[in-house]
Amino acid sequence: LNKGASLVSATLIPSSPKGNFLLGHLTEYRKNPLGFLTACARDYGDIVALRLLGSRVYLLNHPRYIEAVLSDDTNFISHKGMRLRPTQCLLGNGLLTSDGNFWRGQRRIAQPAFHHARIVAYGAVMVEYAERMLASWQDGETRDVFRDMLRLTQEIVAKTLFDADVTDDSEDIAAAFDTLQEEFNAERSLFQSLRLASPLPVNRRTREAVKQLDETIYRIIQRRRTDGCDAGDLLSMLLAARREDGSQLTERQLRDEVMTIFFAGHEATGATLAWALYLLARHPEAQSNLCAEIQEVLNGRAPRATDVPRLRYTARVVKETLRLYPPAWALGREAVRDCTIGGYRVPARTQLMMSQWVMHRDARYFDSPDEFRPERWTDQMSAQLPKYAYFPYGGRARGCIGRAFAEMEMVLILAIIAREYEFNLAPDFEPAILPSFALIPKNKIKLTLMKTGNRLVPDNDLQFQIAI
Ligand code: HEM
């Protein structure tokens, strides 16, 4: 293998599954993206050529190829590729979707809000909001914990980074995000995907949902302007920021950044927490291990940010959940010029696709890859794992700015829930995966919650089949 991408001419050409003359591989991809990408990797190897929406797409299935792309800002990094294009009507030109020098400037402005000391300070808010959520739960009830986790992570991101309480708006926010999910989701028709990938105006439902979310975001910004106070949070940093030419962010830029952080800062964590609760419900022995650790470390009290390093099994549960259900299930980049990866020729404008879903379930890197085994994450295993065989947060310059935030938040919330409740899958519940913006549960995660000590006996005969 060539270690990285280079400009040296190369002759290798990736193999490709047979595609439709006109549509390429779009039909199979739209029908079942996760299954299709997995089959491509299995049948065609470490680099696979596809044609989607008229674009040449190379699917990269080797950690070194992925590293080559994510670490190379000359040939690839500042072009996010077509996968994110549809989200631009919601996120505008914020941190996630912007490119080049503009992105670099925005990242510099936002970075201080994610420094270690700040993240530790956010811990208290995370705990307070999680405890408040738990106070509204009843012993023995069945809940959709995906909805609960999304609401909680929304409230936390708004409070920690914008000092805003969005509790009263949470139903409207959830409805607007639901509409956007429906509009963007992977089961849309061919016409819909062409429209979403094009710069044509978006439809009325999407516009209205974005308008609804805009109202919340502009209200948060306006309130801060009126208060005039410097809360020292991300919003204050954005309001005070000067770009290199001395200009302030425009109202639209502010909106795009706040919307991006609000969106990126709750959806992935909410989905991961819901998947973690689901996996724990399916694996009572892992749930018992988790409870034992929480009892030992916390001894009945609420967790604090400083407990997180000792909640090692809890962190492994999160890590293993991110392996099996990575919210960012594929990343995209675009080659800006002709180059090579591992000896393969990559013409300019090729879309590079790297799928966490595919890599995280690759038996070359993970024993029994489809099994949930938090204990696999020993220090030794982590040290031996090739970099980018596991990359839930992406990597290098465009890696997730909220990683430390998310890691602390997910450990604290899991610890708080598992300290008070044991949970089982609701008997009539059949989960399914929806690879949308993020990898989310399609039809809720319905769990029955029992206050610790009132545990239901798990039904080991039930076979749960995840449909993808
Ligand atoms: C389970 C939790 C999370 C996961 C798995 C996750 C995953 C990712 C990934 C894979 C990327 C890179 C995308 C790419 O390379 O194209 C990313 C970027 C980003 N994430 Fe996260 N994320 C999580 C939580 C968060 C949180 C809590 C925040 C904010 C509070 C956040 C804010 C962002 C932003 C702003 C970017 C764009 C960074 C840039 O391009 O400079 N994320 N995230």
Side-chain angles (χ1 to χ4, degrees), residues 70 80 84 94-98 103 107 110-111 114 157 160-161 234 257 260-273 318 322 326-333 356 391-395 397-407 409-410:
L70 294 184
K80 291 281 216 158
L84 271 182
L95 210 44
L96 195 63
T97 37
S98 59
W103 162 77
R107 177 104 183 189
Q111 197 70 58
F114 295 93
V157 77
T160 50
L161 298 175
L234 178 61
E257 291 307 344
T260 295
I261 296 288
F262 186 60
F263 173 72
H266 85 271
E267 156 113 319
T269 31
T272 308
L273 281 163
V318 171
L322 285 170
W329 53 276
L331 299 182
R333 295 290 187 269
Q356 287 93 335
F391 59 116
Y393 297 97
R398 299 293 306 237
C400 180
I401 200 172
R403 178 179 182 159
F405 182 112
E407 284 174 347
E409 181 181 27
M410 292 187 292

Side-chain angles (χ1 to χ4, degrees), residues 139-186:
D139 189 12
E141 72 177 330
T142 297
R143 302 190 64 97
D144 171 12
V145 292
F146 180 45
R147 177 50 50 102
D148 286 332
M149 294 303 113
L150 281 182
R151 180 189 286 212
L152 175 61
T153 51
Q154 257 166 31
E155 289 173 354
I156 289 174
V157 77
K159 185 67 190 169
T160 50
L161 298 175
F162 312 129
D163 193 23
D165 196 321
V166 295
T167 313
D168 293 343
D169 300 332
S170 64
E171 286 306 319
D172 290 344
I173 295 170
F177 276 124
D178 281 352
T179 304
L180 292 175
Q181 290 289 2
E182 279 166 30
E183 290 299 311
F184 293 136
N185 84 35

Side-chain angles (χ1 to χ4, degrees), residues 105-316:
Q106 297 300 96
R107 177 104 183 189
R108 237 192 323 265
I109 293 168
Q111 197 70 58
F114 295 93
H115 281 165
H116 178 72
R118 287 210 158 254
I119 306 280
V120 170
Y122 301 148
V125 175
M126 294 167 179
V127 171
E128 183 193 329
Y129 276 75
E131 297 260 341
R132 203 172 73 178
M133 173 191 74
L134 245 59
S136 71
W137 288 8
Q138 307 290 325
D139 189 12
E141 72 177 330
T142 297
R143 302 190 64 97
D144 171 12
V145 292
F146 180 45
R147 177 50 50 102
D148 286 332
M149 294 303 113
L150 281 182
R151 180 189 286 212
L152 175 61
T153 51
Q154 257 166 31
E155 289 173 354
I156 289 174
V157 77
K159 185 67 190 169
T160 50
L161 298 175
F162 312 129
D163 193 23
D165 196 321
V166 295
T167 313
D168 293 343
D169 300 332
S170 64
E171 286 306 319
D172 290 344
I173 295 170
F177 276 124
D178 281 352
T179 304
L180 292 175
Q181 290 289 2
E182 279 166 30
E183 290 299 311
F184 293 136
N185 84 35
E187 289 179 348
R188 290 281 133 182
S189 66
L190 173 63
F191 170 72
Q192 183 84 342
S193 37
L194 290 171
R195 191 176 56 72
L196 287 171
S198 78
L200 293 174
V202 291
N203 71 12
R204 190 181 52 81
R205 281 192 82 210
T206 303
R207 267 201 317 273
E208 279 172 8
V210 172
K211 196 163 149 243
Q212 168 88 54
L213 293 168
D214 272 350
E215 279 170 21
T216 304
I217 299 300
Y218 280 124
R219 200 165 47 242
I220 292 174
I221 297 172
Q222 200 42 49
R223 200 175 299 143
R224 180 65 59 85
R225 281 201 196 284
T226 315
D227 288 356
C229 71
D230 179 0
D233 59 8
L234 178 61
L235 184 53
S236 294
M237 287 172 201
L238 292 170
L239 282 164
R242 293 281 180 282
R243 304 209 35 107
E244 268 167 10
D245 62 2
S247 63
Q248 277 188 295
L249 302 194
T250 63
E251 203 64 10
R252 178 69 203 187
Q253 283 163 2
L254 264 174
R255 174 260 176 226
D256 289 351
E257 291 307 344
V258 175
M259 183 71 90
T260 295
I261 296 288
F262 186 60
F263 173 72
H266 85 271
E267 156 113 319
T269 31
T272 308
L273 281 163
W275 287 122
L277 293 170
Y278 159 72
L279 287 164
L280 288 163
R282 277 199 63 185
H283 296 88
E285 67 297 342
Q287 205 178 139
S288 301
N289 292 342
L290 181 72
C291 290
E293 173 175 271
I294 289 162
Q295 178 56 29
E296 190 193 319
V297 174
L298 303 178
N299 199 15
R301 66 170 167 80
R304 296 186 279 262
T306 46
D307 295 317
V308 170
R310 288 163 62 221
L311 292 166
R312 287 168 61 88
Y313 188 80
T314 318
R316 285 176 184 180

